[in-house]
Amino acid sequence: MLYVAPVFRHRSQPSRPLVSAPAETAVLSLLLAEGPLSRVELARRTGLSSTAVTKAARPLIDDGYLYELPPERTAPGAGRPVNPLAVAPDREYFVGLKISVDQVFGAVCDLRAGIRATAGRPLDVCTPEAVAGLVAELVDELLDADPAFRDRTRHLGVAVNGDVDRDSGRLRHSGLLGWRDVPLAELLAASTGLAVTVENDVRALTVAEHWFGEGIGTGYFALVTIGAGIGSALVVNGHLLRGAYGVAGEVGHICVDPAGPRCRCGARGCVEAIASTDVILATVRDAAANPRLTFDEVVEMAREGRPEAREAFARAGQAIGVGIAALVNLVGPERVVVSGEGVDAYDLFSRHIQEAYAAHAFGAASRCPLSLRPLPWEEWARGGAAVAIQALFPQPAATPTIGAG
Amino acid sequence: MLYVAPVFRHRSQPSRPLVSAPAETAVLSLLLAEGPLSRVELARRTGLSSTAVTKAARPLIDDGYLYELPPERTAPGAGRPVNPLAVAPDREYFVGLKISVDQVFGAVCDLRAGIRATAGRPLDVCTPEAVAGLVAELVDELLDADPAFRDRTRHLGVAVNGDVDRDSGRLRHSGLLGWRDVPLAELLAASTGLAVTVENDVRALTVAEHWFGEGIGTGYFALVTIGAGIGSALVVNGHLLRGAYGVAGEVGHICVDPAGPRCRCGARGCVEAIASTDVILATVRDAAANPRLTFDEVVEMAREGRPEAREAFARAGQAIGVGIAALVNLVGPERVVVSGEGVDAYDLFSRHIQEAYAAHAFGAASRCPLSLRPLPWEEWARGGAAVAIQALFPQPAATPTIGAG
C-alpha cells in the first residue's frame, strides 16, 4: 500500500547531535561502550593527546553526561591518583520500539542501553495510521512510568522489518507488514513529539549487540537471526555494513543448493527456503500428512525423536551452517551471534549448524566462534533504543575515506 | 619449508610515511585518486575547512608532491579564479612486483600508479633465496631504465599468492609457492635497499583497481579473480576488508553445492572445486578420456562446440555466478570487477556467470554490475606498486571506530 500521511499534533523535534567534534565523538562513544576509563586509557585508545581528551570531556561533564569517579587507589609513589571518567546513564533516556505485524513493543532505556521500563500493545490492524496512534499511546505509557523519563527523553528509535532508508526515515518496503514507502520517522515524530530514527530490526539489534552486548570492542562482528525469516547484519571496522544499494547481510538469500526448493524471493536453494521456521513447519506437515500441526507441535515431535521432524531440523541446521560459513569466509567477523525466535528450538539444530559451519569455514576463519543468544521482545526494543542513542552522534561522512589499507 | 635468512648487502631503509596528520592524508589521498581538484572541492569532499585544506596542501606543494594548475577560466564576475591542485606524478616512483611460481614480473609506476617501465624474469627454482636474488637484479634493471627512477624510488610493493601478514611483512603460507613463514619484506629490503610492503596478490590488485581503476570513488567495491584459484578482495567504506582472523573475500570457498566435489581445502562443493581452471581441465580430460589435453585445447574444444567442454565451462560459470551473488547479497558492493587468468576464456562462461548471478542476487543488490577486466602481468605488478604507494600514508588505527551507523 502507498501511504498518505494524516495530520497529527506537532510538537518540537529536538534532533541536534550531542557531540560533533571527532574528539568528543571518540571519547563519548568509547565511554558508552566500554567505560569507565581513565583519561590516560582514553587517550591511548582514541589516539588523542591527554589534553585533547580533557578538553573533549569538559563540556560533557558540565552537561552531566559524564562524571568523574572517585580516585582509584594507587600504589604509594605511583604518581597522582586518577579519576576515571564514566557515563551518567540517567542523564538521558531513550524509547526503543519494535513494530511487528501483531504488536508494538517498547522499552525505555538509559544512555548505556540498560532497560528501565517496558510495555507492549497488541496491534489489531497493521496500518501506518494505526501504528502511529498506538505508538503515541505506548510512548505516553512508558514515559509516565517515571517523571525523569518524561523530562529527559528526546529520542525514539524504531526497529522494524524490511528495507529502511535510515537517513530519510522512510520504510521503503516490508513484506511482513505489507507496507511500501511509508515516511515512518516523520509520522512517529508527529505523533510522539520525539526525534525519531528508524532502522531495519536486525540492524538495530546488531547495533545494540555491538555497542552494549557480545560485540563490545570488536571491529568485525555479525549477528544472524533465525526464524520465519533468516537475516544478518554485519559490523566492519566498527560500522554497520549497509551495502551500496541498501542490501547487505542477506545470509538468508545465499544459495546453498542450486537444486533446492524455490524461495519466496524467486530464487532456488536459498538458506531461507530450506531453513525458515515456516519451511520446517510446512515440510513436517507434509511428511506427517497433518496440515494442522503447529510449530510448537513440530518442535515437540522432534524432541520426541520423530524422524520426519528431526530430519527437517537437521536439513535446516545444515543450510544455516553453510550460510554462516559463507558469511565468515567472505567478511571475516571476530564472532558471530545467532539469535531470533528460531533459537527456542536451537537444541534441535545447533549440532547441524555447528558441524556444517566447521566443515565449510575456510582456514583461520574457523576460529570465529558462533554463540547463541535468546532474543525476547525486550531485546528488539533495546535495539531500537540503541539506534536512538546513536542519534547523539554525527552521521558518518558520506564520502568514503581513501586511506592506507 | 621453513625459511632461514641468508646475509644480504644492507642499504638504508627509508620508511617514514609522507603524511601523518589526518587533513594531509585526506587531501593527498583524494588528489591521488581523483585529482585535480580545487581547494573548494577538496574542502567539500573531505569535510575540512578551506583553511585546513590550504594548510594541509602547503608542505606537499613545497615538497613537490602537489602543484597548482593554471587558473581555470571562470565566468566574468564569478569571483577569484581558482587554481586546482594536482599530484605531480613524477615526484616519486614505486616498484611493484608480482612473484609467481615460475617468474617475477616488475613495473616502475609513478605516484598515480601509471606504468612507466616493465620487466620480467623467469624463475627456475622457486625458493625465497632465489627470489630475493632475482628481485635484486630485476629492480636494478628497472631502475636503470631512467636516472629519475633511480633517484626517486624508495618503495617496493610485492604482490604474492597466499596468506600475508602485511604489518610484519611475513608470508605466512602460500600453497602455490610452497612457502611457509617467510619474512619476505625483510628479505627483499635487504636485497634491494628499498622499503618493502608485501601484500596478498588479489588484495594488491584490488587496491590498484579501487584507487586507480574501476573502483575510483566507490566506498564498496569487490574484485573477483578466476583461474587456477578463485578469490576476491572487498573494499568497504574505502578500506580493504582483512577479516578478524586474516581471512576475508574467500569467494572460492563458499559452498554452492553440498553434494558437490571435494575441494583441495577439504570441504565439499566449494566454488573453486567446481570452477577453477584446473578442475575444468581435469573434468574435460576425464570426459574426453584424454589425459594429455592442455587447457588451451579444452578452450578450443569448447569454442568448437564440443559438449563435454561446453558443459564444464557452463557448470563453472554457474558456480562462479552463485558465489558472486552470495558476495553481493552479504556485502553489497557498488560494482564487481571479474578478472584473473581465467578471463581469457570468459566468452565460454560469461553467460552462465551473469545468468546465475542475476538469478541469485537479492532485491536491489542485483543493480550491482559485474564487469570484466583482462589481467596481464603488468596489472599484477601495478597492484604491488599501489600497495607501495599506500606506504606514503599512515597505517589505519588498530582500534575500531565506534560511531554513528
Side-chain angles (χ1 to χ4, degrees):
Chain A
M1 58 182 296
L2 195 68
Y3 176 74
V4 181
V7 180
F8 277 94
R9 67 204 150 115
H10 239 294
R11 300 188 213 147
S12 66
Q13 289 180 33
S15 64
R16 207 166 47 86
L18 174 67
V19 289
S20 54
E24 287 177 27
T25 301
V27 167
L28 180 61
S29 62
L30 200 53
L31 284 172
L32 273 178
E34 301 182 52
L37 293 167
S38 70
R39 288 180 176 82
V40 171
E41 185 65 12
L42 282 165
R44 193 184 66 76
R45 294 284 302 277
T46 59
L48 295 166
S49 68
S50 290
T51 315
V53 168
T54 298
K55 193 176 156 208
R58 174 70 47 214
L60 293 166
I61 294 173
D62 292 346
D63 224 1
Y65 282 89
L66 301 182
Y67 68 104
E68 290 189 325
L69 289 174
E72 280 183 352
R73 193 186 295 270
T74 49
R80 284 200 311 172
V82 293
N83 299 66
L85 285 174
V87 167
D90 289 299
R91 174 61 183 81
E92 185 168 346
Y93 300 103
F94 302 82
V95 178
L97 294 179
K98 158 78 173 177
I99 298 175
S100 309
V101 71
D102 58 358
Q103 74 162 345
V104 180
F105 196 91
V108 177
C109 291
D110 62 30
L111 259 169
R112 297 193 68 175
I115 295 178
R116 307 297 292 270
T118 60
R121 302 222 168 181
L123 187 60
D124 297 327
V125 194
C126 181
T127 63
E129 297 85 345
V131 165
L134 198 73
V135 164
E137 289 172 27
L138 186 64
V139 167
D140 267 342
E141 180 187 335
L142 284 164
L143 296 186
D144 280 344
D146 186 326
F149 295 165
R150 178 71 68 184
D151 282 356
R152 296 184 222 143
T153 301
R154 300 181 299 150
H155 292 96
L156 168 64
V158 179
V160 63
N161 165 271
D163 179 8
V164 173
D165 180 19
R166 181 164 164 170
D167 291 338
S168 70
R170 294 183 88 87
L171 178 71
R172 289 203 199 94
H173 177 63
S174 167
L176 225 55
L177 299 180
W179 295 0
R180 192 177 283 281
D181 201 27
V182 175
L184 196 57
E186 189 185 320
L187 190 57
L188 299 183
S191 78
T192 65
L194 299 172
V196 179
T197 308
V198 180
E199 182 58 282
N200 165 273
D201 52 3
V202 179
R203 291 185 182 178
L205 194 65
T206 303
V207 168
E209 204 61 15
H210 178 237
W211 275 39
F212 304 108
E214 294 217 26
I216 285 178
T218 59
Y220 287 75
F221 172 71
L223 184 140
V224 175
T225 57
I226 56 181
I230 291 169
S232 76
L234 303 160
V235 171
V236 168
N237 292 330
H239 292 282
L240 204 58
L241 209 58
R242 300 193 168 278
Y245 303 98
V247 176
E250 289 290 353
V251 69
H253 298 283
I254 289 181
C255 170
V256 293
D257 183 0
R262 182 76 65 185
C263 182
R264 59 184 153 185
C265 77
R268 226 174 235 300
C270 294
V271 172
E272 197 169 294
I274 299 166
S276 84
T277 48
D278 292 355
V279 171
I280 295 172
L281 177 59
T283 306
V284 180
R285 280 177 173 172
D286 268 9
N290 180 355
R292 300 212 194 153
L293 281 174
T294 64
F295 189 71
D296 287 346
E297 287 166 342
V298 167
V299 168
E300 206 43 56
M301 285 168 66
R303 289 201 176 123
E304 283 165 4
R306 295 272 295 275
E308 65 272 45
R310 293 192 74 81
E311 171 54 31
F313 279 103
R315 207 170 160 225
Q318 217 246 347
I320 293 168
V322 169
I324 294 176
L327 183 160
V328 167
N329 292 347
L330 281 170
V331 181
E334 197 169 325
R335 61 188 305 129
V336 175
V337 170
V338 179
S339 196
E341 75 260 36
V343 303
D344 293 343
Y346 198 71
D347 56 306
L348 294 169
F349 45 25
S350 65
R351 182 170 63 83
H352 307 282
I353 292 175
Q354 296 278 2
E355 281 177 5
Y357 169 64
H360 293 282
F362 182 70
S366 64
R367 287 160 53 201
C368 169
L370 305 192
S371 55
L372 175 71
R373 194 168 153 82
L375 190 60
W377 289 108
E378 285 83 356
E379 291 299 313
W380 287 109
R382 184 169 173 259
V387 166
I389 295 169
Q390 288 191 315
L392 299 179
F393 295 90
Q395 288 308 300
T399 308
T401 323
I402 304 173
Chain B
M1 61 182 294
L2 195 69
Y3 177 74
V4 181
V7 180
F8 278 94
R9 65 203 151 116
H10 240 293
R11 299 188 212 145
S12 67
Q13 290 180 34
S15 64
R16 207 165 48 85
L18 175 65
V19 288
S20 54
E24 287 178 28
T25 301
V27 166
L28 180 60
S29 63
L30 200 53
L31 285 172
L32 272 179
E34 301 182 51
L37 292 167
S38 70
R39 288 180 174 83
V40 172
E41 184 66 10
L42 282 165
R44 194 184 67 75
R45 293 285 300 279
T46 57
L48 296 166
S49 68
S50 290
T51 316
V53 168
T54 298
K55 193 177 157 208
R58 174 69 48 213
L60 292 166
I61 294 173
D62 292 347
D63 222 2
Y65 282 88
L66 301 183
Y67 70 103
E68 291 189 326
L69 289 174
E72 281 183 351
R73 192 185 296 272
T74 50
R80 285 199 311 171
V82 292
N83 299 66
L85 286 173
V87 166
D90 290 300
R91 174 60 183 82
E92 184 167 347
Y93 301 103
F94 302 82
V95 178
L97 293 179
K98 158 79 174 177
I99 298 175
S100 309
V101 72
D102 57 358
Q103 73 161 345
V104 179
F105 196 91
V108 177
C109 292
D110 62 32
L111 258 169
R112 297 192 68 177
I115 297 177
R116 307 296 294 270
T118 60
R121 304 225 168 179
L123 187 60
D124 296 326
V125 194
C126 181
T127 62
E129 298 85 346
V131 166
L134 198 72
V135 164
E137 289 172 26
L138 185 64
V139 167
D140 268 342
E141 180 187 335
L142 284 164
L143 296 185
D144 280 343
D146 187 326
F149 296 164
R150 179 69 69 186
D151 282 356
R152 297 184 221 143
T153 301
R154 300 181 299 152
H155 292 96
L156 169 64
V158 179
V160 64
N161 165 271
D163 179 9
V164 172
D165 180 19
R166 182 164 163 170
D167 291 338
S168 70
R170 294 183 90 87
L171 178 71
R172 289 201 197 96
H173 176 64
S174 167
L176 226 53
L177 299 179
W179 295 0
R180 192 178 284 280
D181 201 26
V182 175
L184 196 57
E186 189 185 321
L187 189 58
L188 299 182
S191 78
T192 65
L194 299 172
V196 179
T197 308
V198 180
E199 182 57 284
N200 165 274
D201 51 4
V202 179
R203 292 185 181 178
L205 194 65
T206 303
V207 168
E209 204 60 16
H210 177 238
W211 276 39
F212 305 107
E214 294 216 26
I216 285 178
T218 59
Y220 288 74
F221 173 72
L223 185 140
V224 175
T225 57
I226 55 182
I230 291 171
S232 77
L234 302 160
V235 171
V236 168
N237 292 329
H239 292 283
L240 204 58
L241 209 57
R242 301 194 168 278
Y245 302 98
V247 175
E250 289 291 353
V251 70
H253 297 284
I254 288 181
C255 170
V256 292
D257 183 359
R262 183 75 65 185
C263 182
R264 58 184 153 184
C265 78
R268 222 172 239 298
C270 293
V271 171
E272 198 169 292
I274 298 166
S276 85
T277 47
D278 292 354
V279 170
I280 294 172
L281 176 59
T283 306
V284 179
R285 280 177 173 172
D286 267 8
N290 180 354
R292 301 215 193 151
L293 282 173
T294 65
F295 189 72
D296 287 345
E297 287 165 343
V298 167
V299 167
E300 207 44 57
M301 286 167 66
R303 290 203 175 120
E304 285 164 3
R306 295 271 295 275
E308 65 272 44
R310 293 191 73 82
E311 171 54 31
F313 278 103
R315 208 171 157 224
Q318 217 245 345
I320 293 168
V322 169
I324 293 176
L327 182 159
V328 167
N329 292 346
L330 281 171
V331 181
E334 196 168 327
R335 60 188 307 128
V336 176
V337 170
V338 180
S339 196
E341 76 259 35
V343 303
D344 293 343
Y346 199 71
D347 56 306
L348 295 169
F349 47 23
S350 65
R351 183 170 63 81
H352 307 283
I353 292 176
Q354 296 279 0
E355 281 176 6
Y357 168 64
H360 293 283
F362 182 71
S366 63
R367 286 160 54 200
C368 169
L370 305 192
S371 56
L372 175 71
R373 195 168 152 79
L375 192 60
W377 289 110
E378 284 84 355
E379 291 299 312
W380 288 108
R382 185 169 172 260
V387 165
I389 294 169
Q390 287 192 315
L392 298 179
F393 294 90
Q395 288 307 300
T399 307
T401 321
I402 304 174

